[in-house]
Amino acid sequence: MSLTTKHNKTVSLNINPASIIKIELIIVAALLLLNLLQQFLLYEGIQPKIITFIDLNEENNFPSLFSGINLMFTGCVVLLISLAKDRGSRFYKHWFFISFVFFFLGADELASIHERVGRYTSIFLGVEDTIGGFIWVLPFSILLLILAYFYLPFLLHLPALYKKLLVIASIVFVGGGMVMESIGSTMVGVSVYYPLEYIVEETLEMLGVIIFLYAFFKYLKNEIGEINLSFLFRQVE
């Protein structure tokens, strides 16, 4: 015969948002400078071995890993906010879905999902494969407009500070990820300024995520307060 006893464990998360934001800004600034230096060295005919590891235009390297993890980390912060909300509140599901969006964007950054979407969209529309790399902007733009439509009431209900930060973050992130991507697609192979374009593009994307993260950290601190996570363990005796 066995008896089951329950033990509650409460875990407090002590996070210093200011330190995290500063570290991330330093990383972005370092990547920006390294990529500009890389372009100068390439212009001089020098190709350092570290080039693919820090190149903002490459996949499966440090910048893409940093971006993917940071997007998912932002999703975790939003998930904490959603869990702290009353499930009967009007925008509880909105917060929860925002966390899913950031998790998806993080997975996309790590697995290049949007490029696969671009190829399938290119095939579906019967468009040349040469533009399949950026035609993903079309279906993603449609999803973005749908998301904006349903989330406008949510945005409007927020206090002015968070509203302003989220609008700025959205403009910076979308401006880098979609607008600059479209511009860059016309420069590949035909313009010597293309490397500068993708450096600006990726830098804007990373800065956009950092602004999102800052906004959610501020909301978590000012509107939610301290969060204690309680875990229930069952022990068989």
Side-chain angles (χ1 to χ4, degrees):
M1 179 177 179
S2 63
L3 297 175
T4 301
T5 59
K6 299 179 181 179
H7 300 278
N8 282 318
K9 299 290 184 180
T10 300
V11 179
S12 296
L13 297 179
N14 295 315
I15 298 176
N16 189 336
S19 296
I20 294 175
I21 296 298
K22 287 178 182 178
I23 291 172
E24 293 195 0
L25 287 173
I26 291 173
I27 292 174
V28 172
L31 287 174
L32 173 61
L33 293 175
L34 285 172
N35 274 265
L36 290 174
L37 176 61
Q38 166 192 304
Q39 293 306 314
F40 173 76
L41 293 176
L42 289 175
Y43 179 77
E44 295 294 326
I46 304 172
Q47 187 168 358
K49 292 182 180 180
I50 199 174
I51 187 170
T52 56
F53 182 70
I54 54 92
D55 194 339
L56 290 171
N57 199 37
E58 295 288 337
E59 304 292 340
N60 302 316
N61 60 1
F62 177 75
S64 63
L65 181 63
F66 168 74
S67 295
I69 291 177
N70 203 31
L71 281 162
M72 289 190 171
F73 177 61
T74 304
C76 288
V77 174
V78 181
L79 183 59
L80 284 177
I81 294 174
S82 68
L83 292 175
K85 289 287 184 179
D86 183 353
R87 296 200 175 189
S89 63
R90 179 183 176 189
F91 294 108
Y92 164 74
K93 292 182 179 179
H94 288 71
W95 283 107
F96 190 80
F97 187 73
I98 290 175
S99 68
F100 167 78
V101 170
F102 278 99
F103 285 128
F104 171 78
L105 291 174
D108 174 42
E109 186 67 33
L110 295 173
S112 301
I113 297 173
H114 66 280
E115 292 187 357
R116 294 184 178 90
V117 172
R119 285 195 292 269
Y120 295 141
T121 304
S122 190
I123 293 172
F124 177 77
L125 296 177
V127 183
E128 291 290 337
D129 289 340
T130 52
I131 71 168
F134 68 89
I135 202 172
W136 63 268
V137 170
L138 178 60
F140 272 69
S141 294
I142 296 173
L143 291 176
L144 179 62
L145 290 174
I146 295 174
L147 190 65
Y149 174 78
F150 283 104
Y151 268 81
L152 184 59
F154 167 81
L155 181 66
L156 293 177
H157 102 284
L158 293 173
L161 173 62
Y162 314 115
K163 191 184 308 179
K164 180 179 178 181
L165 287 172
L166 292 180
V167 169
I168 293 173
S170 300
I171 292 174
V172 174
F173 183 75
V174 174
M178 301 181 76
V179 177
M180 292 301 295
E181 175 86 6
S182 300
I183 295 174
S185 65
T186 65
M187 302 171 67
V188 180
V190 297
S191 174
V192 295
Y193 297 108
Y194 173 64
L196 294 179
E197 182 281 328
Y198 73 68
I199 289 175
V200 172
E201 172 192 328
E202 297 297 332
T203 301
L204 286 176
E205 282 189 48
M206 291 186 289
L207 287 176
V209 177
I210 291 176
I211 299 172
F212 272 123
L213 184 58
Y214 175 76
F216 295 134
F217 268 144
K218 292 285 287 186
Y219 188 94
L220 189 61
K221 177 183 177 181
N222 297 336
E223 309 297 328
I224 304 299
E226 182 179 334
I227 291 182
N228 292 318
L229 301 180
S230 179
F231 297 92
L232 180 65
F233 296 92
R234 293 179 182 273
Q235 182 176 345
V236 178
E237 298 179 350

